[in-house]
Amino acid sequence: MAEEDPFSEAPVITAKGLRKMYGPHLALDDINLEIPRGAVGILGPNGAGKSTLFKCLLGLITTTSGEGSVLGLDIRTQGEQIRSKIGYMPEYNALDPNLFAVDQVRYSGELLGMNSKNATQRAHEVLEYVGLKDQRYRKIETFSTGMLQATKLACALVHDPDILICDEPTNGLDQRARGFMLQTLNRTVREGNRSVLMSSHVMDDVQDLCDSIVMIHKGRIVVQSSIEDLVQQVDKEIEMVIWGGASKMESELSSMGLENRRLGRVIRIKMESESTVEKALQAAVSAGVQVRQMKEYEPDLEDIFLLVMDKLGAQIKGTEDLMTSEHTGGD
Ligand SMILES: Nc1ncnc2c1ncn2[C@@H]1O[C@H](COP(=O)(O)OP(=O)(O)OP(=O)(O)O)[C@@H](O)[C@H]1O
Ligand SMILES: [Mg+2]
């Protein structure tokens, strides 16, 4: 199309046929990616390959085969340049417990090539940005998990990168700290106009922050889509809370050709057309049930995801299968 579309920018990260083996263990298999600007969630259970993917993209570990680029730089040969342009918040705590927070963040900046004066000035700025202004001169060994995660974020932001890669930034955080972390990342994307790539095994985190998701399962990408497109793929449903004779209601709906699923007193009916509402009410009358509540059902990301998986015929039977450890051993 000739029209200028602000969202049709080139992807910031790409991968083509990327594979990573740890000895005989295949951790990433045939990864093909195009990550747009904005906030992208990398979802997957423990051992799926999220951290491995990040490390490959940052050029921290060598890939077994395939290729990839970050901001046009080759992940196989230009790792150092990539890391100077990207903020990386690793999964594990690599902070020095004996340092004051401000010195730790300044040190990170210096390691990334900043001069001492700039690094010091930025360390103060970013610590304030992540909510640690008053804790700048406290030793890291006295920090809570939430403060440690915030310090890691400050280290990742010190050189004002274009892209931020955060490996499970909400891990171990309580509700308040989690909310603050997501809010800070949101600000970085919406106000700072930066891109964030965040891994998580919590759907809610991703729904709060991201425009699109990449789902990894056993080293392979199973879904790569904008959240908007995922929502489109899901059939609209009407949700009815009924009283008395739910199974009768179920058979009444089915005999009228209305697809439905029941969860106790709640029945969800697939919205085929405008007349579905009317038909559903007729079914309730015929079944002699009371309708206590009726509304359009709004699926959350988790529902959507499971429905999409179902459609794809993926071997994922439920959230537990999807979001819990695979325990392949060998860590
Ligand atoms: N250094 C390593 N040596 C050998 N195997 C490894 C190594 N690092 C990771 N693996 C294996 O590769 C697979 C992917 O691991 P990875 O850490 O990338 O998963 P993840 O999705 O980040 O998991 P988590 O949610 O637990 O952080 C796992 O089976 C893991 O055991
Ligand atoms: Mg990981």
Side-chain angles (χ1 to χ4, degrees):
M1 259 188 266
E3 270 175 44
E4 212 176 294
D5 177 356
F7 298 106
S8 70
E9 281 182 67
V12 286
I13 293 174
T14 66
K16 225 163 138 188
L18 205 71
R19 272 159 67 90
K20 173 65 189 174
M21 305 205 54
Y22 291 111
H25 179 75
L26 182 60
L28 289 177
D29 188 13
D30 194 25
I31 299 289
N32 296 293
L33 269 180
E34 287 206 348
I35 303 278
R37 285 214 157 271
V40 178
I42 307 287
L43 279 163
N46 291 135
K50 305 178 297 294
S51 300
T52 301
L53 174 64
F54 287 166
K55 287 178 206 158
C56 288
L57 293 175
L58 287 154
L60 287 168
I61 53 174
T62 54
T63 55
T64 306
S65 58
E67 53 192 76
S69 72
V70 176
L71 296 169
L73 298 162
D74 191 329
I75 62 170
R76 293 167 301 185
T77 55
Q78 295 175 291
E80 205 168 320
Q81 277 162 278
I82 291 173
R83 292 192 294 280
S84 73
K85 294 192 172 193
I86 290 198
Y88 173 46
M89 191 179 159
E91 180 172 30
Y92 298 107
N93 185 356
L95 305 171
D96 183 340
N98 294 310
L99 291 180
F100 290 132
V102 70
D103 292 328
Q104 173 76 73
V105 178
R106 175 181 52 79
Y107 181 57
S108 292
E110 286 172 0
L111 284 179
L112 288 159
M114 298 172 81
N115 69 41
S116 183
K117 186 165 167 270
N118 283 346
T120 305
Q121 190 193 329
R122 278 289 295 171
H124 287 279
E125 282 170 21
V126 287
L127 280 166
E128 180 169 356
Y129 184 76
V130 303
L132 291 177
K133 184 170 184 248
D134 298 335
Q135 288 82 17
R136 282 174 296 171
Y137 295 104
R138 257 176 67 178
K139 272 195 177 181
I140 285 172
E141 65 186 0
T142 70
F143 279 8
S144 67
T145 309
M147 287 155 76
L148 291 173
Q149 287 295 73
T151 310
K152 275 161 65 181
L153 178 59
C155 291
L157 287 170
V158 68
H159 58 316
D160 195 16
D162 261 355
I163 305 177
L164 193 58
I165 290 185
C166 305
D167 202 348
E168 306 205 29
T170 60
N171 210 7
L173 303 190
D174 64 23
Q175 244 355 70
R176 214 182 117 261
R178 172 187 169 273
F180 187 74
M181 174 61 72
L182 290 172
Q183 193 189 324
T184 309
L185 293 175
N186 241 313
R187 255 178 86 193
T188 308
V189 177
R190 317 288 158 209
E191 291 169 30
N193 204 20
R194 303 294 191 273
S195 293
V196 172
L197 199 59
M198 172 182 79
S199 72
S200 177
H201 32 252
V202 186
M203 290 277 182
D204 281 352
D205 287 359
V206 166
Q207 193 156 23
D208 275 4
L209 177 73
C210 301
D211 316 304
S212 60
I213 61 159
V214 172
M215 176 83 208
I216 304 182
H217 190 62
K218 297 185 179 168
R220 288 184 148 262
I221 292 180
V222 285
V223 170
Q224 187 172 175
S225 167
S226 72
I227 291 180
E228 207 180 320
D229 284 352
L230 277 183
V231 173
Q232 296 280 325
Q233 285 185 48
V234 178
D235 299 319
K236 296 249 180 319
E237 288 179 313
I238 303 167
E239 185 172 279
M240 261 184 169
V241 181
I242 56 169
W243 197 260
S247 53
K248 209 164 166 220
M249 175 72 174
E250 244 181 321
S251 50
E252 198 63 44
L253 287 165
S254 301
S255 70
M256 291 171 85
L258 296 180
E259 221 177 281
N260 64 87
R261 53 200 179 112
R262 178 158 82 99
L263 309 112
R265 287 191 188 130
V266 178
I267 293 192
R268 294 204 191 121
I269 305 149
K270 186 173 158 189
M271 184 93 153
E272 296 277 9
S273 66
E274 290 295 307
S275 67
T276 306
V277 175
E278 211 175 301
K279 283 190 192 159
L281 286 168
Q282 272 171 24
V285 173
S286 309
V289 299
Q290 253 185 58
V291 179
R292 293 281 169 103
Q293 219 185 69
M294 189 165 166
K295 60 174 188 202
E296 191 172 311
Y297 174 65
E298 285 187 28
D300 62 19
L301 190 56
E302 192 149 330
D303 291 324
I304 293 169
F305 187 74
L306 291 173
L307 286 168
V308 171
M309 283 286 129
D310 211 32
K311 280 191 185 174
L312 289 174
Q315 292 166 332
I316 291 170
K317 290 170 192 71
T319 325
E320 269 176 32
D321 187 18
L322 191 70
M323 288 293 149
T324 51
S325 312
E326 106 190 53
H327 293 302
T328 47
D331 272 59

